[in-house]
Amino acid sequence: MRLPYLRKAAPDVLATARAQRWDPAEVLRVLLGEEVTGRDSATRRTRRKTANFPTGKTFSSWRAEDSSIPEATQNALSTLEWIGRAENLAVAGPSGTGKSHFVEALAHAAIEADLRVAWFTLESLTATIGKAKVDASIARTITKICRCELIVVDDIGMLPAGQDAAEAFYRVVDAAYERRSIAVTSNIHPSGFDTIMPKTLATATVDRLLHHAHLVLTKGDSHRLAEALAGKGVMPLS
């Protein structure tokens, strides 16, 4: 046992223990606590890196009062209890209304709660499954994705999705069905997915996706556009 975090903390802990005359059991308890805390932090850092989040947006930068998502809904989803129940989340609405930010903040919170997260766009998911097709490792790849308690597919509907994208999306939704939580963001309602991907696959996918799902609809003007028009999009040149 290397115990790197215990060893790092030991000089300060031992100095405090001598000054305050701790008993040996207390010294051991504090040192082991430092090791556990350090390992947990390292695990969360690794999971954040593995999840491949797009921007690093968390609830620290989320303006709940500016969102069109009802406050009660925000609070309920932030408990992450729905992930424990293997329920899904679909957030749909116009571009720039905070869909991806909210879902990424939930995903970061999930990692802080010691859950595993996988983050994809529909394009990156298609590439991942396509690569697995080439080396005949689709089952293994899907199994690896479904080890995560939360699987996110972001920005569905920004571009038309062909057969390969629809198939990749279906495979993951089907494998995760009633076992893992999937969160999707889209600028179109899930009922309209058949307008951007083959109808048969879209119907089967949405049927599974929405069976145990929280459907959240956002509305309003783009926050990004509003900030740009207000001069907050870039720093002025000196």
Side-chain angles (χ1 to χ4, degrees):
M1 297 179 68
R2 298 180 183 275
L3 303 178
Y5 307 101
L6 183 153
R7 288 161 53 198
K8 182 179 179 180
D12 290 340
V13 171
L14 293 176
T16 301
R18 284 192 293 269
Q20 298 184 5
R21 298 183 179 181
W22 290 356
D23 62 59
E26 179 67 7
V27 175
L28 183 59
R29 184 190 69 78
V30 173
L31 287 173
L32 290 177
E34 290 289 339
E35 182 65 25
V36 170
T37 298
R39 290 190 180 195
D40 287 345
S41 296
T43 297
R44 287 192 287 270
R45 286 194 299 271
T46 298
R47 287 181 176 177
R48 276 193 291 268
K49 183 177 180 180
T50 302
N52 197 30
F53 292 124
T55 61
K57 290 180 178 176
T58 67
F59 280 119
S60 64
S61 59
W62 172 252
R63 299 194 299 269
E65 66 280 3
D66 292 341
S67 173
S68 61
I69 301 173
E71 183 178 356
T73 300
Q74 294 185 46
N75 293 338
L77 292 171
S78 296
T79 67
L80 307 180
E81 293 175 359
W82 55 282
I83 298 179
R85 297 191 294 265
E87 295 168 353
N88 298 329
L89 171 63
V91 186
S95 179
T97 51
K99 303 182 301 296
S100 295
H101 188 160
F102 182 62
V103 171
E104 186 175 354
L106 289 172
H108 277 283
I111 286 183
E112 290 300 314
D114 295 324
L115 303 176
R116 292 161 295 185
V117 177
W119 186 285
F120 298 95
T121 62
L122 188 55
E123 289 74 22
S124 66
L125 179 62
T126 304
T128 298
I129 301 301
K131 182 179 179 181
K133 270 187 174 182
V134 173
D135 58 18
S137 62
I138 289 180
R140 186 164 65 251
T141 298
I142 295 292
T143 298
K144 181 179 179 181
I145 292 171
C146 287
R147 290 194 186 109
C148 296
E149 286 84 3
L150 176 62
I151 304 162
V152 180
V153 184
D154 188 31
D155 271 347
I156 297 173
M158 296 301 291
L159 296 170
Q163 179 74 24
D164 289 344
E167 181 183 330
F169 188 35
Y170 169 77
R171 284 180 181 274
V172 170
V173 171
D174 182 55
Y177 179 61
E178 295 186 330
R179 296 177 51 241
R180 297 298 193 206
S181 290
I182 293 182
V184 301
T185 71
S186 175
N187 64 332
I188 60 175
H189 193 285
S191 63
F193 282 0
D194 60 357
T195 65
I196 60 165
M197 61 181 66
K199 185 177 180 61
T200 300
L201 282 171
T203 300
T205 302
V206 171
D207 179 65
R208 290 160 175 77
L209 179 68
L210 295 186
H211 184 206
H212 306 291
H214 303 269
L215 178 60
V216 177
L217 303 180
T218 63
K219 59 184 179 181
D221 298 325
S222 168
H223 300 322
R224 290 186 291 266
L225 180 58
E227 288 183 356
L229 293 175
K232 298 178 181 179
V234 295
M235 293 295 292
L237 297 174
S238 58

